[in-house]
Amino acid sequence: MGGDHAPTEAVAGALKATADGYDVVLVGDAPVLQSELDAQGGSLPIVHAREVIDMGEDPGRAVREKPENSIAVAARLVKSGEARALVSAGSTGAVLAVAATVLRRLPGVLRPAIASIFPTLRSPTVVLDCGANPECKPEHLVQFAHMGSLVASTYLGLDAPRVGLVNIGEEAGKGRSLDREAYSLLAASDLNFVGNVEGRDLATDRADVFVTDGFTGNVLLKTTEGAVQLTTQLATEALAGAPTRAVAGVLPAMETVRQRLDHEAQGGAHLLGTAGVVVVAHGQSSRHAIASAIEIAADGADRRLAEQVAERLGNAVV
Amino acid sequence: MGGDHAPTEAVAGALKATADGYDVVLVGDAPVLQSELDAQGGSLPIVHAREVIDMGEDPGRAVREKPENSIAVAARLVKSGEARALVSAGSTGAVLAVAATVLRRLPGVLRPAIASIFPTLRSPTVVLDCGANPECKPEHLVQFAHMGSLVASTYLGLDAPRVGLVNIGEEAGKGRSLDREAYSLLAASDLNFVGNVEGRDLATDRADVFVTDGFTGNVLLKTTEGAVQLTTQLATEALAGAPTRAVAGVLPAMETVRQRLDHEAQGGAHLLGTAGVVVVAHGQSSRHAIASAIEIAADGADRRLAEQVAERLGNAVV
C-alpha cells in the first residue's frame, strides 16, 4: 500500500475497483488501512505487512533489510496463488527488487521491463522499457521488442505489431553503439521491425511498439507528461482571456483531449518478464489511476500474460 | 544550403532575415540559388559550393570525400572572418563534422554540444546536449552545464542559472553510472546545481538548464515536439465537433498556445564549444524557422558567444 497519496487514494481506488467487480486485497499496515476503510465507509480484506519501504530509500537495501515490507508480502500472495496480480504505486525500484527476489524472472528472460501504453492519435503505442533497466545491452532490447509485440498483439489485437527502435534519426547507423547493435539484431529477427523511430513519431503512426533502454523510455514517458501538462497549462491561461461563452462552448471538446492524454487514464504499466502479473502505478496516482491499474492487472491475469511471455521468450531466438 | 525544403524555404528565410536587417550570404550551388532568388524576386550575395552532403550520407565520410561541400565552404567563411556565423538546416552530423575539422574545438572544450532553448510556462529552459554526442562521459556533462549556464545568463539574463541533471527520479543515486558520476561532479562544482530533473519538469520551474547526454537530449527535444503535435492534433479533431461560433471565439487563444510551443519559433540551436558561432536549424525548417535561426546566429555573434565559452571553460575546474 504505497504511493504519494497513500493510503487515502489507494484505498479509494481499491474500493472503486471493487465496485467495478474486481476482487481486491489490501496489503499494508492493517490498523491504518482499517481506519481508512472505516473513514471511507468501505470493507475489504486486509493482509497485514509490518514494514514499509519509503520512496527515498535505496530499494535493494530496503528490500533486504525489510523482508516484511508490504510489496514483498503482496508478491508472496501472488507467488502462492492467493492473489492473481500485484499492483503497487510505491517505489518502482522496490517493486523491481521484490519482483526479482520473490517472484523471480521467467525462464529465458534476461531482464524484466516496464511496458507503458501511450495514447496517440490512432491506435495506442506500447513503449518499453520505461524504467526498470537504466543500462541495457542490445540483446535486452530485442527481448523488450518481443515482450512489447506480445502486449500489442494481446491488448491492441494486432497481428504483426510494428516495432520501432527509439533513436535520434531515421537512418540505420544512428545513435549509440547500443542502438546500432540492437538495430542489427532487430533487423535480423522475426519481428516486424520497421527501423528507427523518434519521439515525434508518437504523433505519427509509424510503429506500434517503441523499444529502448529503461533510461530513455522513462525520459520519453515523463517528457510526454511534461509537454502535455505544459500545453494544458498554456491553453488554460490563454483561454482565461477568451470570451466566456466561447470557452464554455469548447470545454467539452477540450475535456475530451485532456482525458485522451491523461496519464492517469492508463493508471499502471505492466512489469513484464517476472513470474506473476505485476503492475506499477504512478507514484502520484489518484483513486482513478489506482482503479485503472487494478483493472489492467486483472486483465493481465485473465490474458495469462506471464505465461505468454514465458512461451514467447522461450521460443524466440535472441 | 540544406534542409528538407531547400532551396525554396532556405532562400525565402534568408530574404526574410535580410528584410529584418541581417546581412546574409548564401552558400551552395550558385546557379540553383540564383534561379531561386530570381523566382522569389530577391537579391543576395552567393558563394558557390560545388558539392552537397545529402541527409542519408555518413557525415564523417561525406565531409572527408567532399571537401567543397556547402557547409565546409560556409565554415571557412566564418574561419576567415568573412562571415560572423554559420547557419545550416542540413545534416546535423555533417555540421558537427565540419565544425570539428574546419572550425575546431575551442581550447579547453572536450566536446561541443547543441543547446536548445525550450519554451516553458515561465522562463525558457536551455537543454543540452541535444544531439551532438550520443555517448558521453561525466566530465562532458559538467562542461555542458557550464556552457548551458552561460547561455542562460547571456540570453535569459539570469545571474545564477539553476542547473538540473536529467534523470529518472529526483533522488541522488538514480540513473545510469554516467548520471550518478555526473551528479557528484556537478554537486562539487561552483555551478548552481539543483539536483535531478525529469522530463515533466519542463512544465514546472525547477531549473533553467537541463543537462544530459546527446542521445537523451535529442529524445527529450523530439518527444516534446511529438507530444505538442499530438495535443494539437487531438484538439483540432475535438474542436471540429464543437459549435462553430465558440471555436471562432477561442481561436486567437489557441493560436497563442500554438505559437508559444512552436518549435520553429526557436528556429535554431547553438552548437557551443567550436571556434565560431554555429547554429543548427531543424531539417524541416520553414522560411520562418530559417529567418529565426539567422537571427539567433547574429545574436550569438553580437554576444561573442564563442569567446565567452572559451573564457568560461578555460577557467572552469572540470
Side-chain angles (χ1 to χ4, degrees):
Chain A
M1 191 55 40
D4 301 351
H5 307 302
T8 307
E9 292 302 305
V11 168
L15 287 171
K16 185 173 182 299
T18 306
D20 293 341
Y22 298 99
D23 291 328
V24 186
V25 180
L26 301 178
V27 181
D29 187 314
V32 171
L33 292 175
Q34 190 57 55
S35 93
E36 184 63 37
L37 276 172
D38 292 346
Q40 297 191 23
S43 171
L44 284 175
I46 296 174
V47 172
H48 181 61
R50 60 179 174 76
E51 291 175 318
V52 69
I53 298 179
D54 295 321
M55 294 301 275
E57 286 186 86
D58 175 75
R61 189 199 294 177
V63 168
R64 276 196 308 279
E65 293 179 357
K66 295 177 175 175
E68 294 305 314
N69 73 79
S70 54
I71 303 169
V73 172
R76 281 185 218 120
L77 294 179
V78 172
K79 185 163 193 169
S80 67
E82 290 166 88
R84 298 171 65 217
L86 161 66
V87 174
S88 175
S91 152
T92 302
V95 174
L96 296 172
V98 164
T101 53
V102 177
L103 294 174
R104 308 234 166 195
R105 277 178 291 141
L106 287 165
V109 171
L110 298 170
R111 299 275 193 98
I114 296 172
S116 279
I117 300 181
F118 275 52
T120 65
L121 200 58
R122 293 187 180 73
S123 78
T125 304
V126 180
V127 181
L128 76 172
D129 173 22
C130 281
N133 310 283
E135 291 178 274
C136 287
K137 293 181 177 166
E139 53 270 33
H140 300 154
L141 269 54
V142 177
Q143 285 208 339
F144 300 167
H146 280 287
M147 295 195 287
S149 285
L150 181 64
V151 168
S153 295
T154 309
Y155 279 76
L156 313 177
L158 302 173
D159 272 341
R162 296 161 301 167
V163 174
L165 177 68
V166 177
N167 211 325
I168 60 172
E170 290 179 25
E171 307 84 4
K174 287 276 181 178
R176 305 160 296 186
S177 62
L178 168 68
D179 312 301
R180 290 191 296 270
E181 289 172 38
Y183 189 103
S184 301
L185 294 175
L186 289 166
S189 74
D190 57 352
L191 290 153
N192 183 10
F193 180 55
V194 297
N196 292 332
V197 290
E198 299 181 272
R200 65 168 76 117
D201 290 315
L202 287 172
T204 66
D205 189 34
R206 292 201 47 224
D208 305 302
V209 180
F210 279 31
V211 172
T212 189
D213 65 272
F215 189 89
T216 304
N218 195 273
V219 167
L220 206 139
L221 181 77
K222 288 174 177 163
T223 301
T224 307
E225 267 182 54
V228 168
Q229 203 180 328
L230 181 62
T231 313
T232 311
Q233 287 171 348
L234 285 173
T236 307
E237 275 194 7
L239 286 174
T244 316
R245 187 172 298 214
V247 173
V250 298
L251 269 191
M254 290 293 114
E255 179 57 19
T256 310
V257 177
R258 198 194 61 73
Q259 283 180 9
R260 274 287 297 276
L261 294 174
D262 185 4
H263 61 82
E264 296 214 329
Q266 281 288 338
H270 277 291
L271 174 65
L272 301 170
T274 54
V277 172
V278 177
V279 167
V280 182
H282 204 293
Q284 291 161 22
S285 289
S286 69
R287 59 194 64 193
H288 301 287
I290 295 283
S292 159
I294 292 169
E295 186 186 334
I296 289 169
D299 205 28
D302 286 346
R303 295 170 193 262
R304 303 177 65 254
L305 201 54
E307 289 83 346
Q308 284 199 62
V309 169
E311 194 178 325
R312 174 100 179 207
L313 288 187
N315 295 331
V317 181
V318 177
Chain B
M1 190 56 39
D4 301 352
H5 307 302
T8 308
E9 292 302 304
V11 168
L15 287 172
K16 185 173 182 299
T18 307
D20 294 340
Y22 299 98
D23 291 328
V24 185
V25 179
L26 301 179
V27 181
D29 186 315
V32 170
L33 293 175
Q34 189 57 55
S35 93
E36 184 62 40
L37 277 171
D38 293 345
Q40 297 191 23
S43 170
L44 285 174
I46 296 174
V47 171
H48 181 62
R50 60 180 173 76
E51 291 175 318
V52 70
I53 298 178
D54 295 321
M55 295 303 274
E57 286 186 87
D58 176 77
R61 190 200 292 177
V63 168
R64 277 194 309 276
E65 292 179 358
K66 296 177 176 174
E68 293 306 314
N69 74 79
S70 54
I71 304 168
V73 172
R76 280 185 218 122
L77 294 179
V78 173
K79 187 162 191 170
S80 67
E82 291 166 86
R84 297 171 66 217
L86 161 66
V87 174
S88 175
S91 152
T92 302
V95 174
L96 295 172
V98 164
T101 53
V102 177
L103 294 174
R104 309 231 167 202
R105 278 179 290 141
L106 287 164
V109 171
L110 298 170
R111 299 274 194 98
I114 296 172
S116 278
I117 301 181
F118 276 51
T120 65
L121 201 59
R122 291 183 184 77
S123 78
T125 305
V126 180
V127 180
L128 75 172
D129 172 20
C130 280
N133 310 283
E135 292 178 273
C136 288
K137 293 181 177 165
E139 55 269 32
H140 300 155
L141 269 55
V142 177
Q143 285 208 340
F144 300 167
H146 281 286
M147 294 195 289
S149 285
L150 182 65
V151 169
S153 296
T154 308
Y155 280 75
L156 313 176
L158 302 171
D159 272 343
R162 295 161 303 167
V163 174
L165 177 67
V166 176
N167 211 325
I168 60 174
E170 289 178 24
E171 307 84 6
K174 288 275 183 180
R176 306 160 296 186
S177 63
L178 169 67
D179 312 300
R180 290 192 297 270
E181 289 172 39
Y183 189 104
S184 302
L185 293 175
L186 288 166
S189 74
D190 59 351
L191 290 154
N192 183 11
F193 180 54
V194 297
N196 292 332
V197 290
E198 299 181 272
R200 65 169 76 116
D201 290 315
L202 287 173
T204 65
D205 189 34
R206 292 201 49 224
D208 305 301
V209 181
F210 279 30
V211 172
T212 190
D213 64 90
F215 189 89
T216 305
N218 195 273
V219 167
L220 206 140
L221 181 77
K222 288 175 179 163
T223 302
T224 307
E225 265 181 54
V228 168
Q229 202 180 329
L230 181 61
T231 313
T232 311
Q233 287 171 347
L234 285 173
T236 307
E237 274 192 10
L239 286 174
T244 316
R245 189 172 298 213
V247 173
V250 297
L251 270 190
M254 291 291 114
E255 179 58 18
T256 311
V257 176
R258 200 195 60 73
Q259 283 180 9
R260 273 289 296 277
L261 294 174
D262 185 4
H263 61 82
E264 297 215 327
Q266 281 287 337
H270 278 291
L271 174 65
L272 301 169
T274 53
V277 172
V278 177
V279 167
V280 181
H282 204 293
Q284 290 161 22
S285 289
S286 68
R287 58 194 65 193
H288 301 288
I290 295 284
S292 159
I294 292 169
E295 186 185 334
I296 290 169
D299 206 28
D302 286 346
R303 295 169 193 263
R304 304 177 65 253
L305 201 55
E307 290 83 346
Q308 283 199 62
V309 169
E311 194 179 326
R312 174 100 179 208
L313 288 187
N315 295 333
V317 182
V318 177

